[in-house]
Every structure is written in structure tokens, then in C-alpha cells.
């Protein structure tokens, strides 16, 4: 049987095709079911993840087929409320955008009491932490996977409300960590380099790589646990201050409710690196005024170098921002206020 192709999201460059065998897909679905979900006996799976993406294929197709579980696919209806049948243990395969929907229907999830949520394709959102915290002690469970198209899932942890960041990640049983590229002068942070029998094969290559270095910065806690410090592509250092752009986005959205807003790293001739804000919103929201509203962010974080209004924020099928398209869509430079 031919290998199955999956493409990277193209969030920071052209999509790249990676190939997986049927055996690798089966192995990953079984492994996550047993090691992460606790061999739960689900009566239904509701998937918001598109099946053309590795994550959606694994838990919206492979796992239901292997365990003979009925599946409802809602990847083309992302605002549809999941159907919860009384007494039927249900697995929700979530995207980052799914959690806003779940937050609005938390009382129904609490009443059901037998719902498990699985999250991947990006860091758990503030809404995910909110839902997990609100539904603590109701029987609701949530788990987060760390991985990529190239590696498949490599680690997991529970989503446990506002204290989740203190919970270390744990490697899946068939994954080994190898010495990664040092990212800090003191060696505390390293790029996550892994080996696994589930590494994908690049299109055109005869075999998978022996190991793969991911764009994730980690700090070891134990032999098989670590803290995730952020994605290297989302960390910039401005005038010596490290900014996690995901964290900056959360704070900026709090100050600018109602806007679809993201941050993107940029090179800077003076500071070496910086970041800019891109937003889609009403014409009445002026980029110059918005930058002034952002002002100086809390915790000593520097304000964005510039703010751009764009017609829309381009995203992949799983919700990842397509940075190259985003920058190309930005309005002319005179609409941005530069430092």
C-alpha cells in the first residue's frame, strides 16, 4: 500500500510533503489512545480537525476505525455544537478555535460528565484553560499533544486550567530525546530534538531521518519530562528582552477586544529582531490609534514596532497563521506607525 502524504501548514514558508505508512498511523493512534487517553472506551468521537491534516486523520479516521467508534466530522462546520448523547463517553478532537465554542457550552459539558477533549496543532488557548478550570471535578478531561507533521506526537500533558503551564510535558513511550541546539548562553533552553519509529519520510527520500529537531524550546525537568518555553519562531528578543509572541498576542487581544489580531517576528536593522502586529477589523479602527492603545505592554514588554490593518488574517485548515501571506497582505507602509 502506498505511503500517505501530509503537508506542513506552510505557516512560515512553502508547504512541504511528508509521507507516513499505514503502520505508523495505526501505531500512533493506538499509542495515544493507551498512553494519553487511558484506554478509555469511547462511544462516539466528534472531530473538528480536517482529515487531510495528520492530527485529523489520526483521531477522526484511524482511531475510530481501529476501535470501531462512530465518528461525527465537524471540520467543515466549526461552529456546530457537539452532539452529546446521555451516558455515551465522547472524545472531542479539538482545534484552537474549538475552545471558544466549548466555553459557551460549558454547562452542557458539565452535565454530561463523560467528555474528553484532545488538543493539538498549536498551544492550548486561554479558552482551553478556562474550560478545563471551569469543568474541574465534573468528569471532564482534557489532554494536549505536542508534535509536528514531521514527527507525529512526541509528548503530552493534561490541560488543567490556569495552572497548566506549571505541569511538565511527558514524552510518549516510543520517543527519545537527543541533544538539541543550545538556545541560551547558560544552556538552560534547547531545541527539542527527538528520535522515534514514527518519524515521517520526506517526499523524494528513501527513508525517514534518524532524528528531527523541532522548533520548540524546552528545559528538561527529568529524564523524560520537560517544560515547554515556546516555539523558537515565536520568540524574539528586543533590546535584550525576550518576548513570547503568543503571550503578547493574548495581552494585546485583551486590550483590543473584537479584533482578529496576531503578531509576526521581523528583522530590525537596529535591534536585530522585533515584532509587528497585524489585525483585521473595522475601518474605523486606525493602525496609528491602535498602536497607541497598545502602548507599553505589561511586564516590561516592548510595544510592537508597527501595526498593520489587513483585509483578513490568512490561516491554514487547522487555524495556523500563514505568516508569509499575512505580511504580503499588509497595507502600505504609510498605514503603519513605526517607532
Amino acid at each position: 500500500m502506498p505511503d500517505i502524504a501530509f503537508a506542513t501548514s506552510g505557516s512560515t514558508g512553502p508547504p512541504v510533503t511528508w509521507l507516513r505508512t499505514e503502520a505508523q498511523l495505526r501505531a500512533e493512534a493506538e499509542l495515544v489512545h493507551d498512553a494519553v487517553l487511558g484506554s478509555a472506551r469511547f462511544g462516539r468521537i466528534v472531530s473538528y480537525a480536517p482529515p487531510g491534516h495528520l492530527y485529523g486523520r489520526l483521531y477522526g479516521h484511524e482511531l475510530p476505525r481501529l476501535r470501531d467508534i462512530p465518528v461525527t466530522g465537524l471540520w467543515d462546520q466549526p461552529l456546530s455544537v457537539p452532539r452529546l448523547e446521555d451516558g455515551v463517553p465522547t472524545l472531542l478532537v479539538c482545534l484552537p478555535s474549538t475552545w471558544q465554542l466549548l466555553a459557551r457550552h460549558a454547562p452542557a459539558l458539565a452535565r454530561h460528565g463523560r467528555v474528553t477533549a484532545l488538543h493539538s496543532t498549536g498551544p492550548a488557548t486561554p479558552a482551553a484553560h478556562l474550560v478545563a478550570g471551569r469543568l474541574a471535578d465534573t468528569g471532564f478531561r482534557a489532554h494536549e499533544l505536542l508534535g509536528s507533521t514531521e514527527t507525529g506526537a512526541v509528548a503530552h500533558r493534561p490541560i488543567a486550567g490556569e495552572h497548566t503551564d506549571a505541569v511538565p510535558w511527558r514524552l510518549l513511550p516510543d520517543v527519545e530525546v537527543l541533544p538539541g541546539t543550545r538556545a541560551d548562553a547558560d544552556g538552560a533552553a534547547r531545541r527539542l530534538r527527538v528520535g522515534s519509529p514514527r518519524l515521517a519520510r520526506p517526499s523524494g527520500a528513501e527513508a525517514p531521518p534518524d532524528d528531527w529537531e523541532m522548533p520548540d524550546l524546552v528545559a528538561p525537568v527529568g529524564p523524560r519530562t520537560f517544560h515547554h518555553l515556546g516555539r523558537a519562531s515565536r520568540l524574539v528578543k528586543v533590546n535584550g528582552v525576550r518576548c513570547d509572541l503568543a503571550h503578547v498576542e493574548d495581552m494585546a487581544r485583551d486590550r483590543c477586544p473584537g479584533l482578529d489580531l496576531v503578531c509576526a517576528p521581523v528583522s530590525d536593522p537596529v535591534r536585530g529582531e522585533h515584532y509587528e502586529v497585524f489585525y483585521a477589523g473595522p475601518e474605523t479602527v486606525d493602525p496609528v490609534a491602535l498602536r497607541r492603545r497598545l502602548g507599553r505592554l505589561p511586564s516590561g514588554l516592548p510595544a510592537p514596532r508597527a501595526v498593520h490593518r489587513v483585509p483578513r488574517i490568512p490561516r491554514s485548515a487547522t487555524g495556523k497563521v500563514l505568516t508569509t501571506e499575512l505580511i504580503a497582505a499588509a497595507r502600505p507602509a504609510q498605514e503603519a506607525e513605526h517607532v
Side-chain angles (χ1 to χ4, degrees):
M1 181 175 292
D3 291 349
I4 299 150
F6 298 94
T8 57
S9 65
S11 58
T12 56
V16 178
T17 298
W18 291 80
L19 304 173
R20 294 184 171 276
T21 66
E22 284 276 3
Q24 285 179 314
L25 295 177
R26 288 195 302 271
E28 183 157 341
E30 294 274 13
L31 186 65
V32 169
H33 180 266
D34 294 346
V36 179
L37 301 175
S39 300
R41 297 176 64 87
F42 295 110
R44 178 165 294 279
I45 293 176
V46 178
S47 178
Y48 289 91
H53 185 275
L54 176 61
Y55 172 59
R57 171 66 182 251
L58 285 168
Y59 307 109
H61 178 76
E62 296 297 332
L63 182 59
R65 183 172 60 86
L66 289 169
R67 289 289 190 266
D68 193 25
I69 305 170
V71 61
T72 300
L74 295 179
W75 49 83
D76 57 350
Q77 304 173 56
L79 300 181
S80 296
V81 179
R83 181 183 174 189
L84 302 176
E85 299 178 28
D86 289 343
V88 178
T90 302
L91 174 67
L92 304 180
V93 182
C94 300
L95 295 178
S97 58
T98 307
W99 292 94
Q100 291 285 355
L101 175 68
L102 299 186
R104 293 194 295 270
H105 297 279
L109 297 172
R111 286 194 301 270
H112 189 276
R114 305 188 70 184
V115 176
T116 299
L118 189 64
H119 176 91
S120 189
T121 78
T125 64
H129 299 304
L130 175 67
V131 171
R134 187 178 297 173
L135 297 179
D137 303 321
T138 68
F140 178 86
R141 297 184 303 146
H143 302 274
E144 186 175 5
L145 296 177
L146 177 66
S148 68
T149 304
E150 299 90 342
T151 63
V154 300
H156 65 98
R157 68 174 179 176
I159 300 176
E162 62 182 4
H163 302 298
T164 296
D165 286 343
V167 178
W169 290 85
R170 181 171 297 278
L171 292 171
L172 287 167
D174 65 347
V175 177
E176 297 296 330
V177 167
L178 304 166
T181 303
R182 183 178 296 177
D184 278 358
D186 60 6
R190 290 180 177 271
R191 291 276 289 263
L192 182 60
R193 179 178 287 274
V194 298
S196 164
R198 294 181 285 104
L199 295 184
R201 174 172 65 89
S203 179
E206 294 185 359
D210 293 332
D211 54 70
W212 189 256
E213 187 168 87
M214 302 171 66
D216 299 274
L217 293 180
V218 301
V221 175
R224 297 188 60 78
T225 57
F226 58 84
H227 285 304
H228 188 267
L229 306 179
R231 298 227 166 188
S233 59
R234 304 238 66 203
L235 293 173
V236 297
K237 188 171 284 189
V238 182
N239 291 335
V241 178
R242 175 183 279 177
C243 302
D244 181 341
L245 296 187
H247 181 49
V248 173
E249 284 173 352
D250 289 341
M251 290 189 291
R253 289 177 185 131
D254 286 342
R255 292 190 170 198
C256 308
L259 297 182
D260 191 2
L261 180 151
V262 298
C263 300
V266 294
S267 59
D268 187 278
V270 176
R271 302 170 182 84
E273 54 186 0
H274 215 303
Y275 75 96
E276 297 183 356
V277 167
F278 297 78
Y279 75 97
E283 290 288 327
T284 54
V285 181
D286 179 71
V288 174
L290 181 58
R291 189 182 185 284
R292 288 176 180 153
R293 191 191 309 174
L294 288 173
R296 198 120 180 114
L297 292 165
S299 306
L301 293 174
R305 188 180 72 170
V307 174
H308 307 267
R309 182 173 56 229
V310 294
R312 65 181 182 87
I313 305 295
R315 289 183 170 85
S316 70
T318 58
K320 291 183 179 178
V321 175
L322 303 177
T323 305
T324 51
E325 290 187 24
L326 175 68
I327 294 173
R331 293 286 182 92
Q334 62 265 27
E335 288 201 354
E337 179 187 345
H338 288 263
V339 175

